[in-house]
Amino acid sequence: MKTICYFRATNYRILTDIIQLLPDNIANQIAAGEVIQRPASAVKELLENAVDAGADQIRLLVNDAGKALIQVIDNGKGMSETDARMAFERHATSKIKNIDDLFHIKTMGFRGEALASIAAVAQVELKTKREEDETGVSIEIENSVVKKQEPVAAVTGSSIAMKNLFFNVPARRNFLKSNAAELRHIVDEFIRVAMAFPEIFFSMSSNGQEVFHLEKGTLKQRIVQILGNNYNAKLVSVQEQTDYMNIFGFVGKPETAKKTRGDQYFFVNNRFIKSAYLNHAVMNAFDEMIAKDSYPMYALFIDLNPAHLDINVHPTKQEIKFEDEKIVYAFVQSAVKHALAQFSITPTLDFELDASIQNLEAVSKPLTEERRSSAASSPLYQTFSQKNQAHFIENKSELKHWKEFYGTPVDDKLQASNFKPQTSIHEQHVHSSDLLQIHNTYIVVQNDQGYLLIHQQNAHERILYEKFLYATEGKAIATQQSLFPAAIELSAADAVILNELIPDLQLLGYQLEPFGNNTFVVQGTPADVEQGNEKMAIEKMLEQFKHFSADLKYSKREKLFRSLARQQAIKGGTSLTQKEMKILVADLFICDTPNITPNGKPTYTTFKKNELDKMFGR
Ligand SMILES: Nc1ncnc2c1ncn2[C@@H]1O[C@H](COP(=O)(O)OP(=O)(O)OP(=O)(O)O)[C@@H](O)[C@H]1O
Ligand SMILES: [Mg+2]
């Protein structure tokens, strides 16, 4: 009896006591997940360690967007043999000693978790040597276990290479995005660190190709090196000092504001942070100076006593808590306002730029009838009408939607521009009545049942989008070779994106060749795109592309089509000739989905005659 009870009790206990300690390597892998989510997080950690080590030269090498290799080489202070071993232990740090230190942090790191996390999810090789040591040490670690340790000849500094990230955590490896996407995250992190330390030389290579080469310099030089020459002479200096906090850095002049949020950087005590709240403060300062849907560039550095901050609220340290965030908000806003006010009341400081604007005909001469008509023959006008005459949508043989909306009888000879390019048939066959353009934005089209109000920009966006779609499915859009190939210099981050897009752009008629150093040469453009504006067209397309990039649900190609359609669509406010309107309307109704833009905005709305009659009691 007793024995049975004993067994029962034990069995019972075995079944209920279910908690076990995880083996170390699994615990480490799980903990690592907080710090190392993707290759870019490892890049951030390694770069920050190099900065903390006092290096003034830091090189980053990645292969396969960091999935195969991430290596950071610095000329910092290096580590002793024992420290090199210790560095990979969890909670091992040289940067803080007690809890109080947490509130006086001057270094980027302090948790002692980064290297332990990296060693848990990759194969790591560290080589390091201090100035005072004859020889250095080399350590190889895999799965948190030291595989090899030996003395090596080395220069002062450290090199940490991590290979095959997540080789032992397949679920995480599968979760990684395309190389293009991961590389962009890496570039983002690289830029954030490099921007904060212009006094350090940084370089970055991807698959053996140097993507960034950032010589030491001033913050202004670093911003231009990173974000591109466009910002040269377009930066307004922000600088205010108080006992509580200082702010310094630059904001872009209002005219450099973009449609995407990209070039916005806040640093607190040299640490890049994300803060929607402080972003709002800057946007407020720009107030009426920029369009509502555009974003100014800024790189602002806030310095304040670390005692007034808590950095330890998020594993990646990119979110922080201010003791009094309202003060910081007010301070940022007034500092930026002040800077902008100074810039706009002393515009002569930019006399070079202003003189060139003043001399432009458009500014210096009144708008005569003659100039008005020469504007009508401008490239923009022509691009628009030519564009619509050179469609290649040959696999579409019906005028399906056309019939629906024009009602019966449909003029059988009615043809959209796609079918007989280069003719002016539309003038003869589209409803004989003239179309009406109102507000230079809408086109009114009458049909049997009432009338349609077409939004010209939305409609053209749909037309272009389907044109691109069909161009890549069927016949590629013809290219015209540029007589004078234009060179385009981009920021390194944009160059990474453009490189990825080259094959698709080719199908759409753009011939681009990378020329090294973030420069591309435009050898040809689509036959129906006016030459001479290639540079702006490509820059705008990249802007739009980045705008869509946050949207993960679209493929790269889809984003490209949407970007190009948006960028090339005829804008509201543009006056159209009868011929242009008729081509636009005809082209719209041979689209597969004529009623909405690729983003789902309506392209037209219908007003039925019988409903109108009802409204008027008839
Ligand atoms: N490149 C380097 N040069 C010299 N010492 C380094 C380097 N990288 C790491 N260390 C040493 O190894 C220790 C552990 O680095 P690790 O990144 O894991 O932690 P941490 O930087 O202290 O804190 P955090 O986890 O917040 O980054 C550091 O405190 C530093 O002493
Ligand atoms: Mg660290």
Side-chain angles (χ1 to χ4, degrees), residues 44-50 52 93 95 108-115 317:
K44 169 180 185 284
E45 295 300 335
L46 293 179
L47 290 175
E48 289 186 349
N49 278 350
D52 284 346
T93 178
K95 299 172 193 175
M108 307 299 283
F110 57 83
R111 306 153 308 181
E113 288 202 34
L115 288 185
K317 307 170 189 143

Side-chain angles (χ1 to χ4, degrees), residues 417-453:
S417 62
N418 313 56
F419 300 94
K420 277 203 183 159
Q422 316 301 340
T423 63
S424 57
I425 46 162
H426 319 286
E427 255 156 334
Q428 302 153 33
H429 300 295
V430 172
H431 260 214
S432 53
S433 62
D434 274 354
L435 304 182
L436 178 67
Q437 188 186 25
I438 47 179
H439 303 308
N440 281 347
T441 299
Y442 295 96
I443 301 169
V444 184
V445 183
Q446 191 187 326
N447 68 3
D448 290 351
Q449 295 137 32
Y451 67 91
L452 312 179
L453 191 61

